[in-house]
Amino acid sequence: MNIGLLARIEAKPEYADKVESLLRDALQLARAEEHTVTWFAFRENATTFGIFDTFEDEEGRTAHLQGRIAAALMEVAEAMLSSAPDIRPVDVLAAKLP
């Protein structure tokens, strides 16, 4: 897990609960992705959410960006989000996992 993605998602206040549900349900999609090593969805505050995930290589990261979770986010972006998701590639420098 050398590389990752960090996404920040800002929901419109009236859709915050639906965005939370969408992210909770996306766990099943992440589990089905062969090249996604770790996947975390989180909530920062009432309307700000995020996803952090890691991959062994660029092929896995690219596949994820073209996968079902990204498609689901883009489907609801205009209606439920106050802005487009801010998705940034990151390099994993160190990690502690169970």
Side-chain angles (χ1 to χ4, degrees):
M1 99 185 142
N2 302 319
I3 58 176
L5 290 168
L6 179 62
R8 293 193 71 225
I9 301 158
E10 189 65 36
K12 292 178 182 176
E14 65 271 25
Y15 289 105
D17 290 341
K18 289 185 179 186
V19 171
E20 178 181 335
S21 292
L22 179 112
L23 292 175
R24 287 183 185 277
D25 293 344
L27 177 59
Q28 294 305 318
L29 298 174
R31 286 181 173 150
E33 292 181 346
E34 181 181 345
H35 298 288
T36 300
V37 177
T38 61
W39 188 89
F40 303 89
F42 58 90
R43 188 175 201 159
E44 285 184 47
N45 57 48
T47 58
T48 305
F49 299 85
I51 298 172
F52 175 70
D53 36 22
T54 63
F55 314 91
E56 288 294 335
D57 53 32
E58 190 60 46
E59 177 185 358
R61 181 161 58 186
T62 300
H64 179 74
L65 286 169
Q66 297 171 351
R68 293 174 62 194
I69 296 171
L73 276 175
M74 297 324 276
E75 267 183 42
V76 303
E78 189 172 329
M80 296 191 337
L81 306 182
S82 62
S83 59
D86 178 12
I87 302 171
R88 299 173 186 226
V90 297
D91 292 331
V92 177
L93 303 178
K96 178 188 181 286
L97 298 171

